Amino acid sequence: MNSSPGSTYQPRPMSSRTAYLLGGVAVVVIAIVVAYVMHSSSSSSPKVQADGYGAVHDTAVSALLDSDGAIVLGKTNPTKTIDVYEDPLCPQCGSLEHYYGQQIAKEIDAGKLAVRYRLVNFLDPKSGTKDYSTRAIAAGDCVASAGDGPMFSKFHLALFTTKQPAEEGGSLSNEQLAAIAKDAGASQDVQQCITSGDRLDEARDHATSATSALTSAIKQVQTPTVLDGDKNVDTGDSTWVTKLAG
């Protein structure tokens, strides 16, 4: 499916690795690593887990915007809550969602997992509009504000898979982001929130908070990163979701 004009989503081999350096006014240059590495030495991709399940189904699942900017997707009193750090333009985040997003949704429906999605925006300069990651985060905040877990899950999964633009020069307009939200079941008010850019300033603050939290936790900004408490989960192990769900 086309994710943006001239761009088609293709999940990358799980062994690919890309690194970025961000300079500027900071005295210390922070290495920004976008990585997703297979646990196995094989170059083949893993199977799509829970293929066909789709996004979260259970209406008892809520989406809540936390005070630190995390979007918490899950039921009340889940067995385990994990933190998932992603950049909307990060291709390896797209791969993680492609291969494991449906399995995560299934475990959320079962009450075994809840996910705190913490989105960062360091790939803004790579996008065609130079602000795509931030606008996509703002769109997610708009969708999450409705509190509907299945709707947010469907939006998030599409944002990172079938609708994710190319890393180099890719972007979606606010109208295209609103259309994804509409397909997920968003109301006119939510769509208007996205097209008007109402939550852009909030999204920048949330991305800054997520970046600081991730740097504090693992001493670098690396996406995708999954944290189980203070433990950095090995997402190169194809059984990682199963192990977390127990």
Side-chain angles (χ1 to χ4, degrees):
M1 291 187 226
N2 290 335
S3 55
S4 64
S7 171
T8 301
Y9 172 76
Q10 295 285 347
R12 293 196 176 184
M14 307 308 272
S15 59
S16 62
R17 183 183 180 94
T18 312
Y20 302 100
L21 293 178
L22 295 184
V25 297
V27 176
V28 179
V29 177
I30 301 174
I32 304 296
V33 181
V34 181
Y36 195 62
V37 185
M38 278 199 72
H39 181 72
S40 168
S41 60
S42 170
S43 61
S44 61
S45 296
K47 291 173 57 178
V48 174
Q49 304 298 307
D51 195 14
Y53 188 84
V56 164
H57 305 334
D58 196 333
T59 57
V61 175
S62 63
L64 300 175
L65 193 57
D66 211 346
S67 59
D68 62 3
I71 295 172
V72 185
L73 184 67
K75 291 183 173 180
T76 304
N77 299 320
T79 303
K80 182 185 289 289
T81 300
I82 60 175
D83 289 85
V84 175
Y85 290 82
E86 298 172 318
D87 187 302
L89 202 62
C90 160
Q92 300 314 317
C93 300
S95 291
L96 181 133
E97 293 290 346
H98 172 76
Y99 291 108
Y100 300 104
Q102 296 179 84
Q103 186 182 19
I104 292 170
K106 184 177 180 179
E107 300 300 354
I108 290 173
D109 276 339
K112 294 181 179 180
L113 289 180
V115 178
R116 286 169 42 86
Y117 288 105
R118 306 211 63 185
L119 302 188
V120 297
N121 62 352
F122 68 87
L123 288 177
D124 265 346
K126 292 276 185 179
S127 69
T129 57
K130 308 303 180 187
D131 66 350
Y132 171 71
S133 294
T134 300
R135 289 188 297 104
I137 294 170
D141 286 355
C142 289
V143 175
S145 68
D148 186 322
M151 181 175 73
F152 175 80
S153 177
K154 188 174 180 180
F155 173 82
H156 181 85
L157 194 59
L159 189 73
F160 279 89
T161 58
T162 57
K163 301 299 183 181
Q164 188 183 49
E167 181 183 23
E168 294 289 341
S171 187
L172 297 177
S173 67
N174 284 354
E175 289 71 22
Q176 288 172 308
L177 289 167
I180 299 171
K182 181 180 179 180
D183 287 344
S187 67
Q188 286 289 343
D189 286 346
V190 169
Q191 294 172 56
Q192 177 63 25
C193 175
I194 296 172
T195 55
S196 64
D198 280 353
R199 292 182 178 261
L200 275 174
D201 289 340
E202 176 186 89
R204 292 187 186 97
D205 290 342
H206 291 170
T208 298
S209 176
T211 299
S212 296
L214 184 56
T215 303
S216 177
I218 65 170
K219 311 308 177 188
Q220 62 182 341
V221 179
Q222 175 178 300
T223 58
T225 290
V226 177
L227 297 181
D228 177 13
D230 60 0
K231 180 183 176 183
N232 192 351
V233 176
D234 177 13
T235 54
D237 176 357
S238 63
T239 65
W240 70 271
V241 177
T242 301
K243 289 178 178 178
L244 286 173

